[in-house]
């Protein structure tokens, strides 16, 4: 097989050591903040039964699920008729029972329903795992990517919404780039649909206005007309969702606009409570009520969230919302939850672009013992073990190659110190330690070396 | 869907917060030791092209690969003839181009071959990821499980073998249970096949003696006879592989037995070098030359390793070996490597059985603020933010439920301290802090609380 044919599957990627260190930094910041708020880790399998996955997010989403061929005689459940008279979806449901997870929310709902008797409610969990989507790969969109989800389930208190906003704020304060936190409420959107006389078209309206930023008012109008929404309703809708006032003023105008919609007023009340809570905590980033924020997923019923970078043009880097009955589909009724998901890959791209990754060299090798030959290498072995036992990452070059080659290895791996042990060093029991940055050398015994490296 | 129908796919598992904390402890011990020896993390996708995966480990292994149905019109590459005249393997290769990874070694070989121009050789990498096998699930065998692989590639020095033994020793010293480290060398086994006059049957012989411990000498004999190996050869083979002397004595006897086999003597020399290296480092656990150790995988060519628990009956918990040409199949010739893989799931089971998990409660919530109502909760919010900012994991109960319910939540979640803030506390600006272990209460201001919790 020729070198140029080697690749990962379309839309998937390898991560080099350098990239891994950066990614692990992102996960560790996110995880630490989740833990500060009392959330605990959970993991679910990469694959779920298709009966768990399908029909939960929407038809479009179902198409993006990677299906796994049954093992063994995978055609045993099909019959000749299926194969002659082929229906793709019928056949695939016969030959595939499992799929790769599409997000972490549906597996989490299954987890909660399945383990309801062992779980302490309200249940605060986080989950950091890859998910897979058979999407068209493009810049910033991959077929395998990590989600970092944090949810609290079994509590309808709006304090949870506040805490999610605080979590977002804490995380991006750590990452140190500017964001705007957009919130909206699906009840407000339902109220708007009521108020313009199109209650039944709630879903079509949310799908259309979700695209406002991307395609503009005119195209949204056209889409709404296509969906059978009256021009009169559109004329009422657009000014409302395009309000450019402050969040407080928007709320005041909405109170008037939605005065006859019970659900709309409930949504307003929830948004007001959240903005009130925000007065009691010190948030760095702007929280904005954005009426064009709709979030496509069917299961959201209350507050919805989205975070965007202010410095880098990029899709949302965090999003989520409240779902009043997600576990209902798995037989556990009336359990409300709320959660958000951080997109680690997009955060990575932004930190890279803004050059904001910290200098995390502590996991790389601190010292390389140069290898001068059989005898010297045996002399090095117990010293090396002592250095490592002191918690210092250390290597010996595995063979006595040319010194130039060994030094170049240290250099390319950014190893800051090199230890040279030849006959002279063995006789004197003093090691020559070279600083790779400035080329300076000094003689130290092994305990001095450990102290020296522990400090540097 | 009824509750009792909810499940993860066969052979896969959910991990609860309690299990996750234990698992993360295992990964962190392993990762820290890998880093002490200068290994760096890499990650490859969960799926690879089937052309990468298939035909690398053996026929039996190929059958265990989970195949992923092509997305979109997955039948487009088949024709009627395929479907009428069904050949399962032909059809599955038409409708599936990708599979879930079976181990981390093959993706690593692909990675090295693909990125050869960016990699600094000798390349020391570790990889901790789940892998999937369509195996029959049973105790200790799952369809989704984590491997923790560490490999060095681009060096044929036996120092690398030594370091892997040191890594095993360091890791199990940390876990603190007794193991035996078994090594052997595929060249010795090839020499034995030479010496008994069955050079061509090398593979059949290794497959059979690999089962010695499980099925006993007689069954191994029968299997060897079935494979066409002469009784005479078997009579020479069994006494040799069943040698029960010390490793040094085995080596001496083998030198004589293999005196006419060049490859056999090379294997002996390698094993001797490793045992010589071991004199220079302080290893806690026994390293034993075990001639019945064969390792099934085709690609091993030199030293092979296996680790077993001495206290718990369980399959191998770590294994690996040297491969001289694994990347050759991907077009990168003559690059020798050596690596081992730790089975995190089996280590988990052993630590659990021996009750050796440390008390790692530091990531759980340290303090719960009880919620007495709207006003009190708003008073708590800035205090809570301050506590969290000090790095202390803290929660507020999200609604003003009955105190008993809130206390029970703290109790079940093992939260050690609870803060009670009612009217009196607000007026005095002193919080009531309750130790959940002994029920003792004291009054502290928020800074005193932070100091108190930071110390406890």
């Amino acid at each position: 097989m020729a070198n140029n044919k080697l690749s990962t599957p379309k839309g998937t990627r390898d991560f080099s050591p350098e990239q891994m260190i950066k990614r692990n930094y992102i996960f560790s910041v996110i995880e630490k903040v989740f833990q500060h708020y009392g959330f605990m880790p959970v993991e679910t399998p990469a694959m779920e039964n298709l009966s768990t996955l399908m029909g939960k997010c929407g038809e479009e989403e179902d198409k993006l699920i990677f299906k796994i061929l049954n093992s063994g005689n995978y055609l045993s459940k099909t019959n000749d008729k299926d194969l002659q008279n082929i229906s793709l979806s019928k056949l695939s449901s016969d030959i595939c029972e499992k799929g790769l997870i599409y997000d972490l929310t549906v597996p989490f709902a299954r987890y909660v329903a399945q383990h309801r008797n062992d779980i302490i409610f309200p249940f605060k969990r986080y989950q950091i795992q890859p998910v897979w989507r058979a999407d068209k790969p493009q810049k910033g969109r991959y077929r395998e990517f990590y989600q970092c989800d944090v949810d609290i389930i079994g509590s309808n208190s709006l304090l949870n919404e506040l805490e999610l906003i605080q979590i977002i704020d804490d995380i991006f304060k750590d990452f140190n780039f500017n964001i705007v936190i957009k919130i909206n409420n699906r009840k407000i959107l339902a109220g708007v649909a009521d108020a313009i006389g199109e209650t039944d078209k709630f879903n079509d309206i949310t799908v259309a206005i979700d695209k406002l930023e991307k395609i503009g008012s005119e195209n949204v109008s056209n889409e709404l007309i296509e969906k059978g929404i009256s021009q009169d309703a559109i004329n009422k809708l657009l000014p409302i969702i395009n309000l450019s006032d402050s969040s407080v003023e928007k709320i005041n105008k909405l109170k008037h606009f939605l005065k006859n919609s019970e659900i709309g007023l409930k949504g307003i009340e929830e948004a007001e409570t959240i903005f009130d809570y925000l007065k009691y905590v010190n948030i760095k980033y702007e929280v904005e009520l954005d009426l064009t924020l709709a979030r496509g997923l069917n299961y959201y019923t209350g507050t919805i969230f989205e975070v965007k970078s202010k410095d880098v043009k990029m899709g949302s880097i965090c999003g989520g919302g409240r779902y009043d009955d997600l576990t209902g589909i798995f037989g556990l009724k009336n359990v409300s939850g709320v959660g958000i998901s951080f997109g680690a890959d997009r955060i990575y791209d932004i930190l890279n672009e803004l050059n904001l990754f910290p200098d995390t060299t502590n996991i790389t090798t601190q010292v390389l013992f140069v290898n001068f030959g059989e005898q010297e290498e045996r002399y090095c072995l117990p010293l090396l073990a002592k250095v490592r036992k002191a918690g210092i990452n250390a290597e010996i070059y595995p063979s006595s190659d040319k010194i130039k080659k060994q030094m170049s290895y240290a250099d390319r791996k950014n190893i800051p110190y090199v230890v040279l042990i030849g006959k002279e060093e063995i006789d004197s029991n003093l090691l020559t330690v070279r600083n790779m940055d400035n080329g300076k050398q000094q003689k130290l015994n092994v305990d001095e070396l450990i102290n020296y490296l522990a400090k540097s």
Side-chain angles (χ1 to χ4, degrees), chain A:
Chain A
M1 188 187 288
N3 180 28
N4 54 17
K5 288 281 183 61
L6 291 175
S7 70
T8 62
K10 198 168 67 170
T12 68
R13 297 157 293 164
D14 288 325
F15 296 96
S16 69
E18 197 193 359
Q19 292 167 323
M20 284 297 286
I21 291 172
K22 290 178 172 179
R23 264 158 52 100
N24 287 340
Y25 159 73
I26 292 175
F27 294 138
S28 71
V29 165
I30 290 175
E31 196 166 15
K32 191 195 66 206
V33 174
F34 289 170
Q35 291 174 3
H36 278 168
Y37 286 79
F39 290 84
M40 298 285 285
V42 153
E43 194 172 306
T44 59
M47 51 175 80
E48 292 275 354
N49 295 319
L50 286 176
S51 58
T52 299
L53 294 179
M54 305 286 282
K56 302 308 185 294
C57 298
E59 247 175 69
E60 282 308 306
E61 285 74 14
D62 279 355
K63 285 187 195 151
L64 302 183
I65 294 171
F66 279 111
K67 299 191 178 76
I68 296 166
L69 195 64
N70 294 344
S71 41
N73 183 355
Y74 57 87
L75 287 175
S76 63
K77 287 196 186 165
T78 61
N79 56 43
D80 279 355
K81 211 174 128 231
D82 289 334
L83 289 167
Q84 322 267 309
N85 194 351
I86 286 158
S87 145
L88 281 179
S89 62
K90 171 74 176 71
L91 180 59
S92 73
S93 72
D94 280 347
I95 63 178
C96 299
E97 283 164 2
K98 299 176 288 291
L100 292 176
I101 55 173
Y102 166 92
D103 68 7
L104 300 177
T105 310
V106 171
F108 174 58
R110 193 265 311 145
Y111 178 98
V112 170
Q114 185 179 331
H115 303 286
R116 62 182 79 171
N117 296 325
D118 305 314
I119 288 173
I120 305 160
F121 290 101
F123 184 43
K124 300 175 93 167
R125 87 84 175 80
Y126 67 86
Q127 214 170 328
I128 299 180
Q129 289 180 232
V131 300
W132 295 268
R133 294 184 189 175
D135 225 332
K136 216 183 168 74
Q138 49 182 266
K139 189 177 179 294
R141 186 186 290 167
Y142 305 102
R143 289 183 151 193
E144 174 180 71
F145 59 98
Y146 270 79
Q147 289 194 332
C148 310
D149 273 32
V150 62
D151 288 79
I152 179 162
I153 195 159
S155 162
N156 53 21
S157 164
L158 293 163
L159 261 185
N160 301 310
E161 270 85 341
L162 172 73
E163 290 212 339
L164 294 177
I165 293 171
Q166 290 181 282
I167 285 174
I168 293 168
D169 195 63
D170 280 0
I171 286 174
F172 289 101
K173 268 194 293 209
D174 257 19
F175 289 140
N176 199 24
F177 63 83
N178 285 320
I179 55 157
V180 54
I181 303 168
K182 296 177 175 209
I183 68 167
N184 196 6
N185 193 303
R186 298 271 286 193
K187 296 191 182 83
I188 295 179
L189 293 175
V192 169
D194 279 357
I196 64 172
E198 298 280 3
T199 306
D200 297 346
K201 302 278 185 182
F202 171 57
N203 268 327
D204 291 331
I205 293 169
T206 56
V207 168
I209 67 175
D210 204 30
K211 300 178 188 162
L212 195 65
E213 195 188 12
K214 209 187 265 174
I215 63 174
S217 280
E218 204 176 309
N219 288 316
V220 168
S221 278
N222 292 339
E223 184 169 325
L224 289 168
I225 286 169
E226 268 172 41
K227 294 287 181 185
I229 288 150
S230 74
Q231 189 62 55
D232 184 45
I234 295 170
N235 290 345
K236 286 181 193 158
L237 172 72
L238 289 178
I240 278 295
I241 61 168
N242 276 318
L243 283 176
S244 61
D245 312 81
S246 73
S247 299
V248 175
E249 284 162 8
K250 278 180 199 166
I251 287 175
N252 287 333
K253 288 187 182 167
L254 279 168
K255 273 187 188 166
H256 178 73
F257 188 73
L258 301 178
K259 61 180 184 292
N260 295 320
S261 166
E262 193 185 339
I263 189 166
L265 290 174
K266 181 86 180 80
I268 294 291
E269 189 192 320
E270 291 179 6
E272 266 192 305
T273 304
I274 294 169
F275 279 101
D276 181 59
Y277 275 139
L278 282 168
K279 291 181 202 151
Y280 296 86
V281 294
N282 193 14
I283 293 279
K284 174 177 176 183
Y285 299 109
E286 180 193 357
V287 180
E288 178 197 327
L289 180 67
D290 180 350
L291 298 170
T292 70
L293 174 62
R295 304 288 302 168
L297 297 174
N298 292 341
Y299 47 66
Y300 291 128
T301 51
T303 312
I304 43 183
F305 305 88
E306 199 161 278
V307 177
K308 291 208 157 188
S309 159
K310 289 183 89 163
D311 304 321
V312 175
K313 210 175 153 55
M314 170 95 61
S316 90
I317 49 181
C318 174
R322 178 169 288 277
Y323 39 85
D324 277 337
D325 198 26
L326 187 60
T327 58
I329 43 179
F330 298 116
L332 179 62
K333 300 277 182 202
N334 300 319
V335 178
S336 183
V338 59
I340 51 176
S341 180
F342 291 81
D345 296 277
R346 287 179 174 176
I347 292 170
Y348 183 101
D349 290 344
I350 292 172
L351 290 172
N352 232 5
E353 188 167 334
L354 300 178
N355 203 14
L356 286 173
F357 277 108
D359 191 19
T360 46
T361 52
N362 59 318
I363 80 151
T364 60
T365 300
Q366 294 301 295
V367 59
L368 174 77
F369 282 58
V370 170
N371 190 330
F372 281 91
E374 271 186 37
Q375 244 196 305
E376 292 86 350
E377 126 195 321
R378 279 165 174 78
Y379 179 84
C380 288
L381 288 175
L383 304 181
L384 194 56
K386 201 166 181 185
V387 170
R388 285 173 179 148
K389 206 175 172 186
I392 293 162
N393 299 341
E395 292 182 46
I396 181 167
Y397 196 86
S399 54
S400 55
D401 286 351
K402 284 190 182 137
I403 302 304
K404 200 179 154 192
K405 191 172 171 191
Q406 298 190 43
M407 296 304 264
S408 149
Y409 172 84
D411 200 46
R412 291 186 64 200
K413 260 191 105 168
N414 285 318
I415 299 175
Y417 295 96
V418 153
V419 168
L420 300 137
I421 299 182
K423 189 176 176 315
E424 189 192 316
E425 283 81 5
I426 294 178
D427 289 344
S428 67
N429 250 327
L430 284 176
L431 327 176
T432 299
V433 182
R434 182 189 175 90
N435 180 323
M436 291 293 283
D437 249 1
N438 58 25
K440 282 191 185 153
Q441 298 193 168
Q442 54 184 317
K443 300 261 186 183
L444 299 173
N445 69 32
V446 67
D447 292 320
E448 288 167 343
L449 172 69
I450 289 169
N451 279 330
Y452 184 75
L453 291 175
K455 272 184 228 145
S456 66

